[in-house]
Amino acid sequence: MALGSVTLRLYIYSGTEGSYSDADLKYTLSKNIISGQSNIVLEIGELVRDYLDVTFNGTYTSSAKWVAAVVTYFDTDGEEYTYSSPETFNYIALDGYGYFEDGINPELQRHALISADNIYLPEGTAGKLPIFAEGVGKVRIDSSDTEITDNGNSNQKIQYITIPADSSTIQVYDTDDTTLLKTITVNNICEPKFTPYKVVFQNKFGALQDLWFFKKTTESFNVTDETFKRNIIDSGTVTYNLDETQNQRYNVNAKTKLTLNTGFLKENMNQTIEELFLTENAWIDYGGNVLPIIPVSKSMTFKTSLNDRLTDYTIDFEFGFDKINNIR
């Protein structure tokens, strides 16, 4: 009997693969086959994404979740197939994205979760490198090896390896510990004049990535308000006081904006800058606090050593909250 319909039960959960319970059931979908087609397509990516919370408070943690898609198949008479139903598909989910030219449902790289081959850090400052633990056996920083272990828990899938201060080279190896997958150069920047600021953002792999801005920083703010015209006449004396305003201001608030400059970068950092422009989540270590920010620069021209000789970027950000606390 031909395939007629399917029912999909979608479980999204933390922990180890297969450890879901009824409480982890997030969606139940049913769909009939379209006439003339031989298969049924269900899109679950946007549904899963609702349960992938990327947060940062100064601590780097894995945002990965397990997904179990349990599919029950029915024939055109509505009878369940007994030889292949239900069928369970297990996935590890990260909140990343591919580009159009990557094709449908691309699987992103399974080792170092950054695009560039360079990392910039202030001199004397440690950093973080996000890796996908399933695909990495060890990380060698200069001559020191860090063995990567993965116990299968979702909180182990993205791991953030500490880059010691003043390191120079990072090598990421496959699970066989011998196949070199990626080499990253660490550039340690001495900045004697300006205060460097660290921006942490969610990159295309769904991992948190650091990007330091070394040069000039400016802070500004834009005020919004409303006014209404008051009646200030004292009906008893039929006079008014000169110290009372006729045009009353209300709903006053402001948005603070930061303009940051990267300083000079190597050309292969262009993709990192692009991912920062495209991010939905970003934070800055500012004034002793980790604060959410939003990139408000909406256009970018790629700089190259051929066209521009030196590559640097100035980017505008806005804090992700109002200046006056109006949370009720």
Side-chain angles (χ1 to χ4, degrees), residues 202-213:
Q202 179 188 355
N203 64 19
K204 69 174 291 188
F205 305 103
L208 298 174
Q209 181 173 348
D210 296 347
L211 181 62
W212 283 86
F213 289 78

Side-chain angles (χ1 to χ4, degrees), residues 189-233:
I189 306 300
C190 174
E191 178 45 63
K193 182 177 180 180
F194 297 102
T195 299
Y197 287 100
K198 181 177 72 171
V199 169
V200 181
F201 69 98
Q202 179 188 355
N203 64 19
K204 69 174 291 188
F205 305 103
L208 298 174
Q209 181 173 348
D210 296 347
L211 181 62
W212 283 86
F213 289 78
F214 291 95
K215 293 300 181 181
K216 179 181 177 181
T217 297
T218 58
E219 180 178 345
S220 60
F221 66 92
N222 296 315
V223 175
T224 59
D225 65 1
E226 298 178 72
T227 61
F228 70 93
K229 194 173 293 292
R230 297 172 61 205
N231 180 4
I232 61 174
I233 294 178

Side-chain angles (χ1 to χ4, degrees), residues 10-292:
L10 197 62
Y11 299 84
I12 305 170
Y13 59 99
S14 299
T16 55
E17 181 179 354
S19 63
Y20 60 89
S21 66
D22 291 343
D24 299 312
L25 178 62
K26 306 303 182 186
Y27 300 97
T28 300
L29 308 176
S30 295
K31 188 175 182 180
N32 295 325
I33 197 167
I34 297 174
S35 178
Q37 297 188 4
S38 59
N39 55 16
I40 298 174
V41 177
L42 294 168
E43 169 57 47
I44 65 172
E46 291 301 317
L47 302 178
V48 173
R49 192 167 183 256
D50 287 341
Y51 291 88
L52 298 177
D53 297 322
V54 179
T55 60
F56 181 70
N57 60 4
T59 301
Y60 299 78
T61 57
S62 174
S63 59
K65 293 287 184 68
W66 282 107
V67 177
V70 182
V71 183
T72 305
Y73 302 93
F74 299 92
D75 62 26
T76 52
D77 291 332
E79 298 294 327
E80 181 180 350
Y81 284 101
T82 57
Y83 57 88
S84 61
S85 180
E87 188 174 12
T88 301
F89 301 88
N90 292 300
Y91 308 98
I92 190 70
L94 310 177
D95 189 10
Y97 59 86
Y99 294 125
F100 177 85
E101 54 268 32
D102 295 329
I104 192 169
N105 290 332
E107 181 172 305
L108 306 179
Q109 63 192 36
R110 298 174 61 88
H111 44 86
L113 298 181
I114 65 170
S115 298
D117 296 329
N118 284 275
I119 289 176
Y120 289 79
L121 296 173
E123 282 188 343
T125 302
K128 292 289 186 181
L129 172 69
I131 63 164
F132 187 63
E134 281 189 8
V136 177
K138 70 178 179 182
V139 175
R140 175 172 294 165
I141 302 177
D142 294 338
S143 59
S144 178
D145 289 352
T146 299
E147 297 294 331
I148 305 304
T149 59
D150 175 17
N151 62 11
N153 196 300
S154 56
N155 63 16
Q156 294 288 301
K157 295 304 177 181
I158 302 179
Q159 296 185 22
Y160 293 90
I161 307 303
T162 298
I163 306 168
D166 301 321
S167 300
S168 60
T169 304
I170 303 171
Q171 294 175 307
V172 181
Y173 289 86
D174 203 345
T175 52
D176 60 10
D177 285 355
T178 58
T179 303
L180 181 61
L181 300 173
K182 190 177 183 72
T183 299
I184 301 167
T185 300
V186 182
N187 301 273
N188 298 286
I189 306 300
C190 174
E191 178 45 63
K193 182 177 180 180
F194 297 102
T195 299
Y197 287 100
K198 181 177 72 171
V199 169
V200 181
F201 69 98
Q202 179 188 355
N203 64 19
K204 69 174 291 188
F205 305 103
L208 298 174
Q209 181 173 348
D210 296 347
L211 181 62
W212 283 86
F213 289 78
F214 291 95
K215 293 300 181 181
K216 179 181 177 181
T217 297
T218 58
E219 180 178 345
S220 60
F221 66 92
N222 296 315
V223 175
T224 59
D225 65 1
E226 298 178 72
T227 61
F228 70 93
K229 194 173 293 292
R230 297 172 61 205
N231 180 4
I232 61 174
I233 294 178
D234 185 330
S235 59
T237 61
V238 195
T239 61
Y240 58 84
N241 294 325
L242 297 181
D243 60 358
E244 289 192 65
T245 182
Q246 184 181 16
N247 296 312
Q248 180 62 54
R249 194 183 193 198
Y250 72 106
N251 282 349
V252 180
N253 220 314
K255 288 279 193 178
T256 301
K257 185 172 76 171
L258 293 176
T259 300
L260 305 178
N261 186 277
T262 60
F264 297 124
L265 305 174
K266 294 181 180 178
E267 189 175 320
N268 70 4
M269 290 293 289
N270 281 345
Q271 189 165 349
T272 299
I273 299 298
E274 181 180 64
E275 291 173 26
L276 175 60
F277 269 68
L278 296 174
T279 192
E280 293 186 357
N281 296 290
W283 300 263
I284 188 171
D285 190 343
Y286 197 77
N289 296 307
V290 175
L291 301 173

